[in-house]
Amino acid sequence: MKFTITGSSNRCFSSSSSQNVSKEYDVVVVGGGILGMATAREILLRHPYLKMAVLEKEKDLACHQTGHNSGVIHAGIYYKPGTLKAKLCVEGLNLAYKYFDEHSIPYKKCGKLIVATDAVEEKRLHDLNERGMKNGVKDLQMVSASMIKEIEPHCQGICGLWSPHTGIVDWAEVTRSYGKDFTERGGKIHLHFKVTSFKEAAESSLTSKGDGNKYSVSVHGKNDVVKASYILTCGGLQSDHLAQMSGGKVDPKIIPFRGEYLLLNPEKQHMIKGNIYPYPS
Ligand SMILES: Cc1cc2nc3c(=O)[nH]c(=O)nc-3n(C[C@H](O)[C@H](O)[C@H](O)COP(=O)(O)OP(=O)(O)OC[C@H]3O[C@@H](n4cnc5c(N)ncnc54)[C@H](O)[C@@H]3O)c2cc1C
């Protein structure tokens, strides 16, 4: 189920088409999805003196996974307790809502209802509840069949697990907002810059930065090249190619698969108020 969120777009970051870009940076991040943009923004917030750039091959940020996902702000129910994933998901939800409020990004805290339809699923749902509780998921609760009807009148089940703080947001808009924060602090975003290779400069040809350090890597695109001291690649589904380009191993490889979701017709949308999930098989 996907909800449409309308709101003002934050596309006022400065970006440059990379025709004949020739620039030198302390840190270059490859990939303008949410991972690359959030990482670049955070590095610059922590180290404002750095010269930084993000290189993105598309005409805009968030054109791939980040702009085509189901927009859920996950609460951290499923992850194994004690793992970094569980900890970061629970913390990340709070930080995400704080960021959305501070930057007027529209979202809906519509909740998530996981529904059990038989006794086997009911038992598993209790286990999932325990897992979520251990992870510290706020206000998670088991609900009866009658409470399911109160939350989602058109939904049927023998019991449910209700997570009221799960929400939805347009992650592409969040990424553009990170881009705005980044460029306002002096970061550069080069769009239309597809990285095709990294080359380590020979010692004799290193360009001095004037502080005793040198730009040791050149990052090549079709028509452009930038130099950098450090490179970070956040290439989403191309991350294995970028890893190999930068001297990494062939494995792990990205395995493609296709996922689909459907939108309810407008006349049926009143039937569902939030996120309804089956027990994960
Ligand atoms: C169907 C689906 C549903 C999902 N639903 C949710 C959800 O509801 N909630 C949630 O939190 N997460 C969800 N996810 C996961 C989430 O979308 C991803 O984890 C996240 O978007 C990954 O971000 P990314 O920046 O790593 O990748 P991407 O958004 O794919 O960004 C990678 C970027 O790198 C760029 N790039 C790649 N190679 C190069 C190159 N050589 N040169 C320059 N640029 C390059 C690409 O153009 C791209 O913009 C979903 C994912 C999918 C597929």
Side-chain angles (χ1 to χ4, degrees), residues 29 35 47 52 62 65 77 83 160 166 173 194 197 200 203 206 222 254 266 277:
V29 175
L35 225 70
H47 307 283
M52 287 195 64
Q65 283 184 91
I77 302 167
T83 59
T166 298
E173 184 163 350
K194 181 173 180 180
S197 66
E200 263 183 279
E203 186 62 31
L206 290 183
K222 202 172 157 207
I254 297 286
Y277 281 58

Side-chain angles (χ1 to χ4, degrees), residues 109-128:
K109 209 185 260 195
C110 49
K112 167 173 173 171
L113 186 63
I114 310 171
V115 181
T117 54
D118 61 32
V120 176
E121 288 184 356
E122 181 179 13
K123 154 86 181 70
R124 290 180 181 159
L125 215 54
H126 280 284
D127 294 344
L128 201 56

Side-chain angles (χ1 to χ4, degrees), residues 71-85:
V72 179
I73 305 152
H74 290 288
I77 302 167
Y78 302 102
Y79 296 126
K80 194 173 164 195
T83 59
L84 202 53
K85 271 187 182 174

Side-chain angles (χ1 to χ4, degrees), residues 30-36 55-58 60 62-74 171 193-196 234-238 242 245 259 261:
V30 181
I34 197 157
L35 225 70
L55 309 180
E56 167 54 52
K57 65 180 166 59
E58 304 296 346
D60 207 343
C63 285
H64 289 277
Q65 283 184 91
T66 303
H68 295 102
N69 64 34
S70 22
V72 179
I73 305 152
H74 290 288
W171 288 114
F193 193 125
K194 181 173 180 180
V195 173
T196 51
C234 300
L237 299 183
Q238 277 83 47
L242 283 164
M245 269 186 227
Y261 57 81

Side-chain angles (χ1 to χ4, degrees), residues 3-259:
F3 292 79
T4 306
I5 296 180
T6 53
S8 60
S9 167
N10 267 325
R11 296 190 57 191
C12 41
F13 58 83
S14 76
S15 61
S16 61
S17 152
S18 60
Q19 289 303 309
N20 300 317
V21 172
S22 176
K23 294 274 174 352
E24 292 168 334
Y25 297 102
D26 297 307
V27 183
V28 160
V29 175
V30 181
I34 197 157
L35 225 70
M37 213 49 262
T39 307
R41 173 185 176 273
E42 189 61 32
I43 292 174
L44 202 53
L45 286 179
R46 293 187 196 189
H47 307 283
Y49 50 87
L50 289 177
K51 272 181 74 186
M52 287 195 64
V54 169
L55 309 180
E56 167 54 52
K57 65 180 166 59
E58 304 296 346
K59 62 176 173 37
D60 207 343
L61 297 176
C63 285
H64 289 277
Q65 283 184 91
T66 303
H68 295 102
N69 64 34
S70 22
V72 179
I73 305 152
H74 290 288
I77 302 167
Y78 302 102
Y79 296 126
K80 194 173 164 195
T83 59
L84 202 53
K85 271 187 182 174
K87 185 171 171 280
L88 295 181
C89 194
V90 172
E91 275 179 29
L93 172 135
N94 293 328
L95 290 173
Y97 282 129
K98 185 166 176 282
Y99 183 85
F100 304 156
D101 287 337
E102 286 169 358
H103 293 79
S104 306
I105 293 175
Y107 63 85
K108 286 183 187 169
K109 209 185 260 195
C110 49
K112 167 173 173 171
L113 186 63
I114 310 171
V115 181
T117 54
D118 61 32
V120 176
E121 288 184 356
E122 181 179 13
K123 154 86 181 70
R124 290 180 181 159
L125 215 54
H126 280 284
D127 294 344
L128 201 56
N129 180 36
E130 258 182 49
R131 181 174 268 225
M133 293 290 200
K134 279 186 191 153
N135 287 343
V137 178
K138 212 164 84 180
D139 300 327
L140 189 66
Q141 60 167 313
M142 289 294 298
V143 293
S144 62
S146 61
M147 276 182 77
I148 288 179
K149 287 277 169 216
E150 279 175 33
I151 298 166
E152 291 283 359
H154 294 276
C155 179
Q156 284 181 21
I158 58 171
C159 67
L161 184 57
W162 173 233
S163 164
H165 299 287
T166 298
I168 51 167
V169 72
D170 179 349
W171 288 114
E173 184 163 350
V174 179
T175 306
R176 290 191 288 269
S177 180
Y178 288 166
K180 185 167 174 278
D181 296 344
F182 179 69
T183 53
E184 280 174 357
R185 283 164 180 77
K188 292 275 182 285
I189 298 173
H190 298 293
L191 301 173
H192 300 287
F193 193 125
K194 181 173 180 180
V195 173
T196 51
S197 66
F198 301 101
K199 291 193 179 121
E200 263 183 279
E203 186 62 31
S204 55
S205 66
L206 290 183
T207 319
S208 176
K209 289 163 62 179
D211 61 358
N213 293 312
K214 292 179 176 176
Y215 301 107
S216 49
V217 185
S218 51
V219 188
H220 295 256
K222 202 172 157 207
N223 306 311
D224 319 302
V225 59
V226 301
K227 290 180 180 172
S229 302
Y230 294 94
I231 314 283
L232 206 65
T233 63
C234 300
L237 299 183
Q238 277 83 47
S239 54
D240 51 353
H241 295 298
L242 283 164
Q244 278 186 70
M245 269 186 227
S246 55
K249 292 185 181 146
V250 177
D251 290 316
K253 268 197 172 138
I254 297 286
I255 308 293
F257 67 94
R258 187 184 167 95

